[in-house]
């Protein structure tokens, strides 16, 4: 109840600035920050590091996932601002994911797909939803 009005207020203030690039940058930064703070991602990163001595670094996992989420949220904000067709953004994202699937080491593939679900937890979803609803409303 507290986050949605806050998200709307943030979006309205960003839109008043009249700089779409500022909105996209804010979406990128908030996406990165909330993902880095996600407790489930922290736990999974540490477990992956323990299970694979020397192969997986917990901080690297968090940073890479946070960058991916940040880009996804920026694309979402771009779509809200421009009305770009959703299916093109999704097809592009899945194409990148499939290309990376063939380039990634085998031991990381299952973890990479699982981390997508891990990031949609207590911290990320409420804040990102509030921002998205705020942008759409404003």
């Amino acid at each position: 109840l507290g986050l949605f009005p806050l998200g709307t207020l943030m979006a309205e203030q960003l839109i008043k600035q009249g700089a779409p690039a500022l909105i996209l940058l804010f979406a990128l930064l908030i996406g990165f920050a909330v993902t880095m703070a996600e407790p489930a991602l922290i736990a999974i990163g540490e477990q992956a590091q323990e299970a694979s001595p020397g192969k997986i670094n917990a901080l690297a996992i968090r940073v890479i996932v946070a960058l991916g989420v940040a880009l996804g949220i920026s694309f979402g904000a771009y779509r809200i601002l421009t009305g770009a067709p959703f299916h093109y953004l999704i097809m592009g994202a899945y194409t990148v994911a499939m290309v990376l699937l063939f380039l990634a080491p085998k031991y990381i593939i299952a973890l990479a797909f699982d981390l997508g679900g891990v990031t949609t937890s207590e911290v990320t979803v409420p804040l990102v939803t509030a921002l998205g609803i705020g942008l759409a409303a404003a």
Side-chain angles (χ1 to χ4, degrees), residues 11-122:
E12 287 172 354
Q13 290 176 352
L14 286 167
I15 288 175
K16 284 180 186 175
Q17 298 295 320
L22 181 64
I23 296 170
L24 297 177
L25 176 64
F26 181 77
L28 185 86
L29 293 175
I30 196 106
F32 185 83
V34 298
T35 305
M36 287 296 290
E38 187 64 61
L41 182 60
I42 294 168
I44 294 293
E46 290 172 0
Q47 289 177 351
Q49 182 172 313
E50 288 175 18
S52 64
K55 286 191 174 184
I56 298 174
N57 179 288
L59 181 59
I61 289 280
R62 287 176 57 205
V63 169
I64 291 167
V65 171
L67 286 172
V69 171
L71 287 173
I73 293 169
S74 294
F75 282 134
Y78 173 79
R79 187 204 178 287
I80 291 170
L81 292 173
T82 64
F86 182 69
H87 60 280
Y88 291 132
L89 295 173
I90 289 295
M91 287 188 309
Y94 273 112
T95 300
V96 169
M98 291 301 117
V99 168
L100 291 175
L101 175 68
F102 290 105
L103 300 175
K106 298 272 187 237
Y107 64 85
I108 198 82
I109 293 172
L111 179 63
F113 278 98
D114 285 345
L115 289 171
V118 169
T119 59
T120 55
S121 194
E122 294 86 14

